[in-house]
Amino acid sequence: MDHLLLDDLRAAGHEVGLHGARHDGQLAFLGADHIERRLDRCAELVHRHEMVGFRSPALLMSDPLVDAVARRFAYDSSVPDTDVRAVAGPRRG
């Protein structure tokens, strides 16, 4: 993790959000406790870079993931509102 690069991006006015700890496509399908643990492992990174936004790996969501994200972030951009033919499925926004 290049924290200096992220610091420079933020100093230039950009936002850095969390995209998960692993990009294995499993986050949305884990049990609620396991989702919580994965997100909690990112807490130091989230705090350091003042992350307020989240986007799920592969844009996959589930009710337990929505609940866990809502407790930690100001917004979630995992469900696109403009993709008509998204790889993740039909338009869901």
Side-chain angles (χ1 to χ4, degrees), residues 65-77:
L65 181 54
V66 168
D67 293 341
V69 167
R71 286 190 290 278
R72 291 168 174 82
F73 297 93
Y75 71 90
D76 170 67
S77 63

Side-chain angles (χ1 to χ4, degrees), residues 39-58:
L39 292 177
D40 287 345
R41 278 185 243 146
C42 301
E44 184 178 328
L45 179 68
V46 169
H47 177 73
R48 175 176 177 162
H49 295 291
E50 301 175 358
M51 296 177 181
V52 296
F54 177 82
R55 177 172 282 182
S56 177

Side-chain angles (χ1 to χ4, degrees), residues 12-51:
H14 299 281
E15 179 183 339
V16 176
L18 186 69
H19 188 53
R22 298 166 66 183
H23 206 284
D24 60 4
Q26 298 300 309
L27 185 62
F29 304 107
L30 299 173
D33 290 343
H34 200 143
I35 290 171
E36 299 278 347
R37 284 194 301 273
R38 273 209 191 179
L39 292 177
D40 287 345
R41 278 185 243 146
C42 301
E44 184 178 328
L45 179 68
V46 169
H47 177 73
R48 175 176 177 162
H49 295 291
E50 301 175 358
M51 296 177 181

